[in-house]
mmCIF file of all heavy atoms in Angstrom:
data_model
loop_
_atom_site.group_PDB
_atom_site.id
_atom_site.type_symbol
_atom_site.label_atom_id
_atom_site.label_comp_id
_atom_site.label_asym_id
_atom_site.label_seq_id
_atom_site.Cartn_x
_atom_site.Cartn_y
_atom_site.Cartn_z
ATOM 1 N N ASN V 24 0.709 -6.010 5.440
ATOM 2 C CA ASN V 24 1.718 -5.332 6.256
ATOM 3 C C ASN V 24 1.830 -6.036 7.558
ATOM 4 O O ASN V 24 0.922 -5.927 8.397
ATOM 5 C CB ASN V 24 1.220 -3.878 6.379
ATOM 6 C CG ASN V 24 2.127 -3.098 7.346
ATOM 7 O OD1 ASN V 24 3.255 -3.518 7.695
ATOM 8 N ND2 ASN V 24 1.691 -1.921 7.811
ATOM 9 N N LYS V 26 3.726 -5.408 9.982
ATOM 10 C CA LYS V 26 4.223 -4.529 11.037
ATOM 11 C C LYS V 26 5.264 -5.225 11.826
ATOM 12 O O LYS V 26 6.106 -5.925 11.315
ATOM 13 C CB LYS V 26 2.964 -4.160 11.886
ATOM 14 C CG LYS V 26 1.804 -3.616 11.071
ATOM 15 C CD LYS V 26 0.809 -2.908 11.933
ATOM 16 C CE LYS V 26 -0.468 -2.607 11.038
ATOM 17 N NZ LYS V 26 -1.253 -1.567 11.563
ATOM 18 N N HIS V 110 3.722 5.088 5.853
ATOM 19 C CA HIS V 110 2.670 4.502 6.581
ATOM 20 C C HIS V 110 2.267 5.439 7.715
ATOM 21 O O HIS V 110 3.165 6.086 8.340
ATOM 22 C CB HIS V 110 3.055 3.119 7.116
ATOM 23 C CG HIS V 110 1.909 2.456 7.706
ATOM 24 N ND1 HIS V 110 1.439 2.615 8.985
ATOM 25 C CD2 HIS V 110 1.074 1.424 7.180
ATOM 26 C CE1 HIS V 110 0.425 1.911 9.151
ATOM 27 N NE2 HIS V 110 0.192 1.103 8.146
ATOM 28 N N GLU V 112 1.649 4.999 10.706
ATOM 29 C CA GLU V 112 2.419 4.738 11.948
ATOM 30 C C GLU V 112 3.861 5.400 11.884
ATOM 31 O O GLU V 112 4.353 5.857 12.887
ATOM 32 C CB GLU V 112 2.504 3.191 12.236
ATOM 33 C CG GLU V 112 1.053 2.638 12.705
ATOM 34 C CD GLU V 112 0.742 1.311 12.472
ATOM 35 O OE1 GLU V 112 1.750 0.481 12.049
ATOM 36 O OE2 GLU V 112 -0.375 0.835 12.523
ATOM 37 N N GLU V 180 -5.212 5.130 3.415
ATOM 38 C CA GLU V 180 -5.444 4.542 4.692
ATOM 39 C C GLU V 180 -5.849 5.585 5.676
ATOM 40 O O GLU V 180 -5.030 6.256 6.291
ATOM 41 C CB GLU V 180 -4.195 3.837 5.111
ATOM 42 C CG GLU V 180 -3.604 2.771 4.334
ATOM 43 C CD GLU V 180 -2.839 1.726 5.059
ATOM 44 O OE1 GLU V 180 -1.853 2.117 5.771
ATOM 45 O OE2 GLU V 180 -3.158 0.517 5.108
ATOM 46 N N ALA V 184 -9.150 4.301 10.710
ATOM 47 C CA ALA V 184 -9.608 2.994 10.426
ATOM 48 C C ALA V 184 -8.527 1.888 10.592
ATOM 49 O O ALA V 184 -8.736 0.708 10.490
ATOM 50 C CB ALA V 184 -10.132 2.920 8.932
ATOM 51 N N ILE V 185 -7.305 2.338 10.909
ATOM 52 C CA ILE V 185 -6.185 1.386 10.958
ATOM 53 C C ILE V 185 -6.090 0.750 12.335
ATOM 54 O O ILE V 185 -5.920 1.434 13.333
ATOM 55 C CB ILE V 185 -4.780 2.045 10.693
ATOM 56 C CG1 ILE V 185 -4.816 2.620 9.261
ATOM 57 C CG2 ILE V 185 -3.602 1.168 10.888
ATOM 58 C CD1 ILE V 185 -3.547 3.177 8.828
ATOM 59 N N GLY V 186 -6.325 -0.577 12.305
ATOM 60 C CA GLY V 186 -6.237 -1.390 13.594
ATOM 61 C C GLY V 186 -7.356 -1.092 14.490
ATOM 62 O O GLY V 186 -7.228 -1.469 15.667
ATOM 63 N N GLY V 223 -6.723 0.873 2.676
ATOM 64 C CA GLY V 223 -6.226 0.095 3.881
ATOM 65 C C GLY V 223 -6.922 0.659 5.084
ATOM 66 O O GLY V 223 -7.092 1.900 5.217
ATOM 67 N N GLY V 224 -7.193 -0.158 6.072
ATOM 68 C CA GLY V 224 -7.821 0.221 7.309
ATOM 69 C C GLY V 224 -8.923 -0.854 7.737
ATOM 70 O O GLY V 224 -10.043 -0.803 7.176
ATOM 71 N N SER V 225 -8.508 -1.847 8.493
ATOM 72 C CA SER V 225 -9.443 -2.827 8.964
ATOM 73 C C SER V 225 -10.082 -3.664 7.900
ATOM 74 O O SER V 225 -11.229 -4.013 8.012
ATOM 75 C CB SER V 225 -10.470 -2.189 9.961
ATOM 76 O OG SER V 225 -9.818 -1.612 11.084
ATOM 77 N N VAL V 226 -9.283 -3.906 6.794
ATOM 78 C CA VAL V 226 -9.952 -4.743 5.765
ATOM 79 C C VAL V 226 -9.862 -6.158 6.258
ATOM 80 O O VAL V 226 -8.916 -6.682 6.870
ATOM 81 C CB VAL V 226 -9.039 -4.695 4.448
ATOM 82 C CG1 VAL V 226 -9.607 -5.732 3.384
ATOM 83 C CG2 VAL V 226 -9.003 -3.264 3.864
ATOM 84 N N LEU V 244 -4.343 -2.742 1.211
ATOM 85 C CA LEU V 244 -3.201 -2.967 2.153
ATOM 86 C C LEU V 244 -3.775 -3.431 3.459
ATOM 87 O O LEU V 244 -4.632 -2.631 4.088
ATOM 88 C CB LEU V 244 -2.464 -1.515 2.312
ATOM 89 C CG LEU V 244 -1.217 -1.596 3.102
ATOM 90 C CD1 LEU V 244 -0.183 -2.677 2.802
ATOM 91 C CD2 LEU V 244 -0.543 -0.139 3.081
ATOM 92 N N VAL V 245 -3.442 -4.588 3.877
ATOM 93 C CA VAL V 245 -4.086 -5.322 5.045
ATOM 94 C C VAL V 245 -3.066 -5.477 6.115
ATOM 95 O O VAL V 245 -1.952 -5.932 5.950
ATOM 96 C CB VAL V 245 -4.449 -6.701 4.546
ATOM 97 C CG1 VAL V 245 -5.229 -7.410 5.642
ATOM 98 C CG2 VAL V 245 -5.361 -6.616 3.233
ATOM 99 N N GLY V 246 -3.455 -4.957 7.286
ATOM 100 C CA GLY V 246 -2.578 -5.160 8.506
ATOM 101 C C GLY V 246 -2.899 -6.344 9.217
ATOM 102 O O GLY V 246 -2.446 -7.458 8.908
ATOM 103 N N GLY V 247 -3.756 -6.231 10.277
ATOM 104 C CA GLY V 247 -4.056 -7.336 11.163
ATOM 105 C C GLY V 247 -4.505 -8.618 10.486
ATOM 106 O O GLY V 247 -3.908 -9.732 10.895
HETATM 107 C C1 PEP M 1 -2.116 -1.167 8.017
HETATM 108 O O1 PEP M 1 -1.288 -1.372 8.905
HETATM 109 O O2 PEP M 1 -1.650 -0.725 6.966
HETATM 110 C C2 PEP M 1 -3.484 -1.548 8.212
HETATM 111 C C3 PEP M 1 -4.273 -1.168 7.279
HETATM 112 O O3 PEP M 1 -3.821 -2.174 9.297
HETATM 113 P P1 PEP M 1 -5.192 -2.891 9.626
HETATM 114 O O4 PEP M 1 -5.655 -3.652 8.502
HETATM 115 O O5 PEP M 1 -4.922 -3.742 10.892
HETATM 116 O O6 PEP M 1 -6.214 -1.791 9.992
#
Side-chain angles (χ1 to χ4, degrees):
N24 174 16
K26 312 194 188 201
H110 190 279
E112 286 154 12
E180 298 208 304
I185 296 182
S225 297
V226 176
L244 181 53
V245 184

